[in-house]
Amino acid sequence: MADRWSADQVRALAPDAASVRAGDKLATPTPWRATGATPVVLWGHCAGSGTKPYQTIVDLRGPAYKCSCPSRKFPCKHALGLLLLWSQGEVPDSDAPPEDAAAWLAGRTARAEQTSDTPAAPKDPERAAKTAAARVDRVRGGIDELQLWLTDQVGLGLAGSEVDSYRTFDAVAARLVDAQAPGLAARVRRLPALISGYSGDAVDWPEHLLEEYGRIWSLCTAHQRIDTLPDGLARTVRRHVGYPVAKADVLAAPGVSDAWLVLGRREIEEDHLQSRRTWVWGFSTRRFGMILDYAPTGGILPNRPVVDYSLTTAMHFYPGTPELRCVYDDATQSDTPPPPTADLVNTLPAGDIADARRRRAGVIADDPWALTCPVVISGRLGRTADNTPTIIDDAGAALPLPDIADRWALLLAATGGASVRLFGELGMHGLDAISVITDERVISL
């Protein structure tokens, strides 16, 4: 039987604080009847205000939820309550689900097979080729305008860039969107944050802004010479510029089968779009992967496994170097339980700060426009002379932990002052700590 999730893992799935409180109230056997669980699915009937109980089912592989209650929240309070009850060991194990749960799972599997097995062939290959060529020409035209604008910014000097920066940069980004280069547009839209200090030291914004101008310029130059680049680098340039890659095409390519441990999640909202990065680690392949999901602001992001959960499936990686972004097919998940979490975390490449920087240098060598790199660092928590939170390794090197203020107390509580392993994204300004790794589990920050 698969390991049951912790209460913290379950509460992390809740859409809001009110759902957490409501789910906690239902995490007791009193309202529940006919509960059961297999390694794949969880079910039960919860008494409500009416005479007919609510039928609740949870696909643990997604996770995904079904409940007969009228709530529009996912997961609803009944699903959260059932998951919490299960995490407490109050739901009995079963060999097979009841008919309603089995039918729902079969329907999910059938829909996944219909939508994600193979890419659809173009109806008119010649027209598709012309459309692709027209897009390249449009992108090149947008990049020509962007390079002229960058030349003006550097030629006229950076003074004054801080005046109404959001409106100035947003206009440039909008033209890039029109030119079908959304990746470049996103980079331009992030520039005002460098000036206002949200992404670093506001005092040094001219230096940071000039550095980012250089990265954007080099990406533009690479795209203008894309026909002469090696295949791997050309795919990387297309990814950063924003060329779309159909999910069906990725799933149709050979996958990497392994037991994958969920190491951490990070959600951000930008330009009326919410995104979530879910980081995973392969037990046998010893490699990181990142599942990237998008949804409009106010929308619902796809269901993904919680932190510290593991699944056995084939991850399909998007083109480019290094291969990090990946996706899996719900229908291809194996029912074979993955190794215990303790065995999975023991394969992680924990090292000191120098090791992490060497890893990031290797990533930058493959992808000069990469902003961060996934790493695991061992050390102790501390603060510098200017009171900046840091992790300090055994060699005495210190690495800043930016934007950790709202999670610092949780981090201290999780470590208790002892040596710790942190998983996070290593960038130019330090380590964005995402999870704490113990000998037996992963704790999300």
Side-chain angles (χ1 to χ4, degrees):
M1 187 60 60
D3 293 337
R4 303 197 178 206
W5 306 344
S6 68
D8 288 339
Q9 287 177 289
V10 174
R11 294 187 181 102
L13 298 171
D16 50 42
S19 297
V20 173
R21 293 191 293 270
D24 284 338
K25 291 180 180 179
L26 293 175
T28 174
T30 303
W32 291 96
R33 297 289 185 274
T35 58
T38 72
V40 175
V41 65
L42 178 65
W43 64 87
H45 295 175
C46 185
S49 56
T51 57
K52 189 175 182 180
Y54 296 120
Q55 296 177 312
T56 307
I57 310 172
V58 180
D59 183 347
L60 298 171
R61 300 169 302 177
Y65 321 94
K66 179 185 179 183
C67 187
S68 59
C69 75
S71 175
R72 294 185 178 181
K73 294 182 179 181
F74 295 94
C76 67
K77 64 181 181 180
H78 304 101
L80 289 170
L82 182 59
L83 281 166
L84 287 168
L85 195 67
W86 171 68
S87 73
Q88 298 164 10
E90 299 286 350
V91 176
D93 294 333
S94 178
D95 294 332
E99 289 185 6
D100 57 341
W104 180 64
L105 284 178
R108 279 177 48 79
T109 301
R111 287 192 297 273
E113 290 174 347
Q114 290 174 1
T115 58
S116 61
D117 272 353
T118 57
K123 295 181 179 179
D124 185 344
E126 184 177 350
R127 182 176 180 181
K130 289 181 178 179
T131 300
R135 178 180 185 131
V136 172
D137 289 341
R138 177 172 288 188
V139 172
R140 282 176 169 159
I143 286 178
D144 285 339
E145 289 187 32
L146 178 60
Q147 287 187 302
L148 287 174
W149 179 81
L150 288 171
T151 301
D152 290 341
Q153 301 309 300
V154 175
L156 297 174
L158 302 182
S161 298
E162 72 278 15
V163 178
D164 202 6
S165 58
Y166 282 91
R167 178 180 296 180
T168 300
F169 292 121
D170 192 62
V172 178
R175 290 198 295 272
L176 288 168
V177 171
D178 292 340
Q180 296 183 293
L184 277 170
R187 284 180 173 261
V188 172
R189 284 200 174 102
R190 285 193 289 264
L191 294 176
L194 299 176
I195 297 173
S196 58
Y198 296 136
S199 299
D201 187 351
V203 176
D204 295 331
W205 70 260
E207 176 184 346
H208 299 320
L209 183 61
L210 189 59
E211 288 176 351
E212 192 57 29
Y213 279 167
R215 291 187 188 90
I216 294 174
W217 178 274
S218 67
L219 180 57
C220 292
T221 302
H223 184 274
Q224 305 300 55
R225 302 173 182 173
I226 198 166
D227 295 336
T228 65
L229 299 179
D231 289 344
L233 184 57
R235 289 192 293 266
T236 300
V237 170
R238 291 189 184 97
R239 184 182 73 228
H240 284 295
V241 170
Y243 284 79
V245 178
K247 179 181 176 181
D249 291 340
V250 178
L251 289 172
V256 180
S257 297
D258 204 346
W260 299 91
L261 172 66
V262 181
L263 284 178
R265 305 169 80 166
R266 184 62 81 232
E267 295 186 12
I268 61 172
E269 185 173 329
E270 188 177 56
D271 299 325
H272 307 293
L273 187 71
Q274 53 181 337
S275 64
R276 179 181 61 210
R277 299 190 299 276
T278 303
W279 287 101
V280 296
W281 170 255
F283 174 67
S284 299
T285 53
R286 304 293 200 272
R287 64 184 295 177
F288 290 105
M290 186 267 293
I291 304 167
L292 182 61
D293 295 309
Y294 291 102
T297 299
I300 299 175
L301 287 163
N303 294 312
R304 295 299 181 199
V306 295
V307 174
D308 197 43
Y309 180 75
S310 51
L311 67 160
T312 304
T313 189
M315 289 289 175
H316 300 260
F317 286 81
Y318 280 73
T321 54
E323 289 185 335
L324 280 177
R325 186 183 175 186
C326 58
V327 68
Y328 64 94
D329 188 345
D330 288 339
T332 63
Q333 288 191 55
S334 171
D335 292 336
T336 303
T341 301
D343 293 343
L344 291 167
V345 298
N346 285 335
T347 65
L348 285 165
D352 57 19
I353 293 173
D355 291 332
R357 285 173 171 158
R358 280 192 290 270
R359 175 176 175 79
R360 184 171 186 270
V363 169
I364 296 297
D366 290 333
D367 178 2
W369 306 282
L371 298 176
T372 61
C373 166
V375 296
V376 179
I377 299 177
S378 297
R380 293 181 180 272
L381 301 178
R383 289 183 179 269
T384 61
D386 61 356
N387 208 32
T388 301
T390 62
I391 181 170
I392 305 169
D393 64 16
D394 291 340
L399 186 68
L401 302 175
D403 304 322
I404 196 69
D406 59 339
R407 293 169 283 147
W408 184 245
L410 176 61
L411 184 54
L412 291 175
T415 60
S419 181
V420 63
R421 284 191 295 171
L422 293 182
F423 166 74
E425 299 177 14
L426 180 60
M428 292 181 292
H429 304 295
L431 177 71
D432 178 14
I434 297 176
S435 306
V436 176
I437 300 169
T438 71
D439 291 337
E440 298 181 349
R441 60 174 301 195
V442 181
I443 304 171
S444 179
L445 292 174

